[in-house]
Amino acid sequence: MIKSSQKKRNYLICEIKRHQVAYYADDCPKISDRDYDKLVRELFSLDSELDIPRSLTEKTLGVGYKKKDEFSSVKHTIPMLSLDNAFDFNELDQFFCKVEEFCRKTNMCSPPVYCAELKLDGVAVSLIYVDGKLTTAATRGDGINGENITENVMGMQGVPYILDFRRLQKNNVKFNNQSFLEIRGEVVFLKDDFKTFNKNQEKSSEKLFANPRNAAAGSLRQLDAAVTASRPLTFFAHGAGEIQGFTDNLFGNHSIFLEFLEKIGFKPLVPRVKNMQPQAIKDFISNVLTIRKDLAVEIDGIVVKVESFELQEKMGTTVRAPRFAIAYKLPSETVVTEILGIDVQVGRFGTLTPVARLKTVSIGGVKISNATLHNEEELEKKGVKIGDKVEVRRAGDVIPEIVRTLDDRTNERVIDKKLSFSMPDFCPSCGGKTRKPKGEAARRCGAGKKCPAQFEQSFIHFVGKKAMNIDGLGAKVIKQLIDEKLILSFADIYKLNRIQLENLERFGRKSAKKLLESINKSRTSTPAKLLYSLGIRHVGVQTAKSICESIESFEELFSISSEKLSTIKDIGPVVVDSVLSFFKNTQNLKLTQELIGEIVFEEEEIKKSGVFAGKSVIFTGALKVLKRIEAQDLVQKNGGTISSTVNKNTNLCVVGEKAGSKEAAARKLGVRVITEEDFLEMIEVRK
Ligand code: IVH
């Protein structure tokens, strides 16, 4: 068996090399991008069967698969902008009115016509073709500078390496020998590809992605181009950047341009409509809403554009978005299902969260069988009961939540049949009495780490991404380790050995080895990450960082004074009390000392690269998708710093809802002001 697999592997390497030469050197690909991609994927899956490290195969495959330390930067000669949004037909009508008014004032063609197409929920990418050959691919970045991802898009579905200009010649389209064509579009995971991909990830205990967009962003921006090549990504073109060397009247309007793109090898962006009046555009939107679930790709809106390039050019752009286009935003997709039961989960600090168990449904390629009901008050407000038909959506397109019940509460007989639910007086995990503190929305169990659920949750927090970041140590394995009494404290994680792990159910030699490797990797960490991992109440990522920036050594925390803690920036009395009482507890102190013995501290990494490299960013107003702290963390992870007051050194001001005086101050100083949505696009992450 192994012998034949090895034979197959050698054959695949030879084949891939042969096609690489044909593709990269001879400019004459012998197979389609998709088939080439299949060969690479087949090789990598054989590798994992044969336990061959990927690095070895990459070396064998050579240049095209070289791993980089970081992406180089690409400047967009024409900025990659954002789009203004319309949330209902009224707002869309306002857009139509503005365009018409512009036409009237400038004596342009009246009435103007529009086209509309899907707004793909993916990652914006620019592709540059010189003389019809792909030379550069870049992410949007901050709109002015993006990251060079040329190697990553090579071979991707929908990205032709050589443009097929032959058909254009036949159609009598003229272009110079030195043509320059920048195509802009979206890299996405098709819904079906996403389902299969996540299923395979689960089978091989690899990271699962929350939605197709996150999967696309995570897969595209891989320093190791071979990883991107192994993911089923697809590119759809939806516009142009810089164009040179084509006869001027080649693309009279947007729809003609999209047809041109199809002719030269790009995938069609369908369904779409062209040359339409406003009412027909609205009909198209209503239609797409009804078929949204059946589309092959996830969308978050419909983009409506002025057809005529001449009118587009005359209307121009603001610094943020073009005036000739608008995104009609669609709400998160909802589905109807049934509540089978309501469970109560106990959190890290004893908070009880009601969670609805649902008849399994799929939203945007993700199976949903649970949805949070948040807390006792929310549960009462929504008035849901077991057996209800409910509408479910993914909040911020990630966490499933119940929007509303569809059951009619006015009919007494229906209510009678329902199974009522109320939050328990005793903790479902430890049996201790629960109480709902005055002024708080949630009920909690006060047993602390003695409560098995809180104990387990503290480990889940400890291994999390922002904490010690132990890959492969998920909730299930933590439960196994606790049940087997292999981990009684955080330090015990670092004392686990191969035999102990191999003896666990569903564990083999390979998985034990892999887990030990990630545990070892996590030994090297920063004081701030360790402090955050301890799970001290009110000490989040940013607070832990602030504290660690003000101390000489981690040990200083063991006897730190209230005075010193109080002088630290952004640390209030609640945090001071929480930190002091944590380290006053002799058990906590002993366990933390034991843990430090297992950790090697490295200096906090100061990122010099990333979208916000060297930029000082300020947030004001309420963010809708991210928590403020998460957004700040993303800025720092991408090379930026956070400022709390606007001054001449501030580079960017992110405004949420009900932004206050900081926004006005930023505008006055000429600081670039962006919305949360722009921010999410810059960072290419959605929660
Ligand atoms: S036109 C000036 N068309 O949406 C930008 N954008 O919210 C003009 N997007 O980053 C873009 N589908 O990458 C356009 N059919 C479509 C689109 C689309 C997705 C993305 C685009 C941009 C973001 C703006």
Side-chain angles (χ1 to χ4, degrees):
M1 163 75 184
I2 290 201
K3 214 166 177 192
S4 71
S5 293
Q6 255 154 4
K7 241 186 180 170
K8 178 93 196 268
R9 183 172 181 273
N10 292 344
Y11 161 76
L12 281 172
I13 290 177
C14 290
E15 272 295 272
I16 290 170
K17 288 221 149 207
R18 190 166 72 83
H19 290 301
Q20 275 182 349
V21 173
Y23 193 85
Y24 292 112
D26 301 344
D27 294 342
C28 186
K30 300 262 186 302
I31 52 172
S32 72
D33 296 343
R34 202 192 167 100
D35 287 343
Y36 175 82
D37 209 3
K38 264 194 206 153
L39 289 177
V40 175
R41 261 184 269 162
E42 207 179 331
L43 175 62
F44 284 141
S45 73
L46 253 188
D47 278 357
S48 54
E49 233 179 87
L50 293 166
D51 220 351
I52 294 172
R54 180 166 279 204
S55 53
L56 198 73
T57 310
E58 281 154 22
K59 247 190 220 151
T60 321
L61 290 185
V63 249
Y65 290 88
K66 226 170 139 197
K67 196 176 165 173
K68 293 181 275 320
D69 291 334
E70 61 181 39
F71 295 108
S72 59
S73 167
V74 175
K75 194 170 171 72
H76 303 300
T77 46
I78 299 175
M80 286 181 83
L81 300 178
S82 200
L83 281 168
D84 284 335
N85 295 323
F87 289 95
D88 52 38
F89 281 170
N90 256 339
E91 291 182 13
L92 186 60
D93 279 335
Q94 285 168 20
F95 165 75
F96 290 134
C97 281
K98 266 193 211 153
V99 178
E100 273 157 41
E101 200 177 314
F102 183 90
C103 287
R104 253 196 319 276
K105 276 191 185 152
T106 51
N107 292 326
M108 293 269 310
C109 52
S110 203
V113 284
Y114 305 88
C115 52
E117 65 209 25
L118 303 179
K119 183 170 188 302
L120 306 179
D121 200 5
V123 185
V125 163
S126 144
L127 304 176
I128 291 174
Y129 289 86
V130 177
D131 294 339
K133 214 180 286 169
L134 179 63
T135 58
T136 313
T139 61
R140 177 179 189 267
D142 64 0
I144 310 284
N145 291 299
E147 287 171 318
N148 189 329
I149 50 154
T150 314
E151 278 180 39
N152 300 46
V153 305
M154 290 286 180
M156 186 182 290
Q157 292 183 68
V159 178
Y161 176 60
I162 297 168
L163 299 179
D164 187 1
F165 283 158
R166 285 165 307 184
R167 286 181 60 189
L168 297 184
Q169 277 162 332
K170 258 190 240 154
N171 290 2
N172 240 350
V173 168
K174 301 221 166 43
F175 53 90
N176 298 342
N177 270 339
Q178 287 174 335
S179 69
F180 184 101
L181 192 55
E182 182 187 355
I183 307 298
R184 291 180 176 176
E186 217 72 9
V187 167
V188 298
F189 245 88
L190 301 182
K191 285 184 199 163
D192 277 350
D193 285 340
F194 175 70
K195 264 190 233 162
T196 321
F197 174 71
N198 247 4
K199 226 184 254 165
N200 289 339
Q201 289 283 99
E202 195 171 6
K203 260 193 223 151
S204 47
S205 313
E206 297 284 345
K207 174 186 163 171
L208 294 186
F209 286 97
N211 56 41
R213 189 190 184 280
N214 283 8
S219 303
L220 184 64
R221 291 187 65 261
Q222 289 281 342
L223 289 168
D224 179 351
V227 177
T228 309
S230 70
R231 308 265 171 98
L233 293 163
T234 308
F235 176 82
F236 288 94
H238 54 56
E242 198 183 340
I243 301 181
Q244 284 171 24
F246 286 84
T247 38
D248 283 352
N249 59 357
L250 170 56
F251 322 113
N253 70 32
H254 182 73
S255 294
I256 295 178
F257 181 67
L258 289 191
E259 282 156 21
F260 159 78
L261 292 183
E262 259 174 67
K263 283 193 190 125
I264 59 175
F266 290 96
K267 280 188 174 291
L269 183 59
V270 282
R272 61 174 195 262
V273 285
K274 59 181 181 181
N275 296 322
M276 292 290 166
Q277 301 286 340
Q279 186 51 50
I281 295 287
K282 287 189 225 166
D283 293 344
F284 173 70
I285 292 175
S286 308
N287 254 332
V288 171
L289 263 171
T290 63
I291 56 159
R292 184 180 187 185
K293 284 188 183 56
D294 309 316
L295 292 172
V297 53
E298 191 101 321
I299 59 168
D300 60 346
I302 307 286
V303 187
V304 180
K305 299 171 183 172
V306 163
E307 273 282 23
S308 151
F309 277 169
E310 191 191 350
L311 182 52
Q312 285 194 5
E313 199 161 310
K314 286 226 162 87
M315 290 189 79
T317 72
T318 66
V319 276
R320 202 190 94 80
R323 293 193 188 88
F324 52 80
I326 196 150
Y328 183 89
K329 294 293 278 215
L330 300 181
S332 301
E333 213 178 320
T334 62
V335 291
V336 174
T337 183
E338 190 186 327
I339 299 191
L340 301 177
I342 296 177
D343 296 336
V344 175
Q345 281 176 0
V346 185
R348 190 154 59 95
F349 299 117
T351 307
L352 303 193
T353 307
V355 177
R357 241 182 314 112
L358 305 170
K359 202 177 211 176
T360 306
V361 274
S362 163
I363 310 183
V366 183
K367 279 212 179 100
I368 310 285
S369 38
N370 294 305
T372 178
L373 285 159
H374 299 289
N375 54 49
E376 191 162 354
E377 278 182 9
E378 188 74 17
L379 179 70
E380 275 163 23
K381 225 193 285 164
K382 291 225 163 105
V384 293
K385 299 223 174 354
I386 298 165
D388 272 3
K389 283 247 167 325
V390 285
E391 204 173 48
V392 182
R393 70 155 175 237
R394 305 186 75 208
D397 285 322
V398 177
I399 306 154
E401 70 173 10
I402 287 177
V403 185
R404 64 194 174 109
T405 171
L406 300 175
D407 278 45
D408 184 4
R409 283 279 122 77
T410 52
N411 183 340
E412 279 297 322
R413 277 182 312 118
V414 177
I415 297 173
D416 283 349
K417 274 197 224 148
K418 304 285 169 191
L419 290 163
S420 309
F421 176 84
S422 56
M423 291 296 275
D425 292 329
F426 297 96
C427 172
S429 175
C430 69
K433 192 140 180 56
T434 63
R435 54 183 204 98
K436 186 166 170 287
K438 235 189 172 156
E440 287 185 23
R443 180 170 287 271
R444 55 173 81 242
C445 155
K449 296 266 175 70
K450 284 192 201 97
C451 167
Q454 292 182 56
F455 184 69
E456 197 176 310
Q457 288 295 329
S458 71
F459 278 92
I460 293 175
H461 169 78
F462 182 83
V463 303
K465 260 219 149 17
K466 292 183 208 153
M468 298 310 283
N469 191 15
I470 307 183
D471 240 14
L473 190 46
K476 272 191 202 148
V477 182
I478 286 178
K479 186 162 179 357
Q480 274 181 293
L481 292 170
I482 291 175
D483 289 348
E484 296 296 325
K485 307 221 168 3
L486 291 175
I487 51 171
L488 299 171
S489 72
F490 295 148
D492 287 344
I493 294 178
Y494 295 97
K495 292 177 184 141
L496 289 167
N497 62 41
R498 192 173 56 85
I499 296 166
Q500 285 172 326
L501 291 182
E502 278 181 17
N503 280 335
L504 292 176
E505 214 173 297
R506 290 189 303 276
F507 257 82
R509 194 173 58 86
K510 217 166 114 188
S511 42
K513 187 170 161 246
K514 214 165 147 193
L515 180 53
L516 283 178
E517 274 168 12
S518 29
I519 291 175
N520 257 334
K521 204 167 135 203
S522 87
R523 279 179 198 276
T524 313
S525 189
T526 65
K529 279 193 185 145
L530 186 73
L531 178 58
Y532 172 70
S533 311
L534 294 179
I536 304 173
R537 205 150 179 220
H538 306 298
V539 178
V541 174
Q542 193 59 42
T543 309
K545 261 189 198 157
S546 300
I547 295 176
C548 289
E549 273 162 18
S550 313
I551 52 175
E552 297 292 322
S553 71
F554 197 87
E555 286 80 355
E556 196 183 323
L557 282 172
F558 302 162
S559 54
I560 198 160
S561 69
S562 143
E563 289 72 34
K564 169 129 196 204
L565 272 175
S566 312
T567 59
I568 300 173
K569 193 179 82 178
D570 298 332
I571 305 285
V574 179
V575 178
V576 172
D577 276 356
S578 184
V579 174
L580 288 181
S581 65
F582 181 88
F583 288 111
K584 227 185 244 159
N585 177 317
T586 47
Q587 173 79 349
N588 284 344
L589 193 63
K590 193 174 142 255
L591 292 177
T592 311
Q593 279 165 334
E594 195 186 336
L595 176 61
I596 293 184
E598 301 289 343
I599 304 296
V600 183
F601 283 134
E602 63 176 4
E603 283 301 308
E604 194 74 55
E605 182 195 3
I606 300 166
K607 239 190 149 211
K608 293 190 194 67
S609 62
V611 190
F612 300 111
K615 295 210 167 96
S616 165
V617 183
I618 191 162
F619 288 87
T620 173
L623 301 183
K624 272 195 294 198
V625 177
L626 296 170
K627 290 197 187 112
R628 172 79 65 97
I629 195 95
E630 288 171 332
Q632 291 175 334
D633 194 43
L634 284 169
V635 169
Q636 287 166 333
K637 281 208 179 105
N638 286 280
T641 53
I642 302 297
S643 63
S644 48
T645 51
V646 183
N647 56 41
K648 62 177 185 349
N649 297 324
T650 314
N651 303 98
L652 199 62
C653 173
V654 184
V655 294
E657 269 172 11
K658 298 204 183 104
S661 56
K662 283 180 190 162
E663 179 182 356
R667 289 193 189 277
K668 212 167 159 192
L669 281 173
V671 174
R672 193 171 154 213
V673 176
I674 62 166
T675 61
E676 181 182 9
E677 204 180 16
D678 299 329
F679 175 77
L680 289 167
E681 265 169 31
M682 280 176 82
I683 213 129
E684 302 287 16
V685 172
R686 203 166 282 181
K687 226 189 129 190

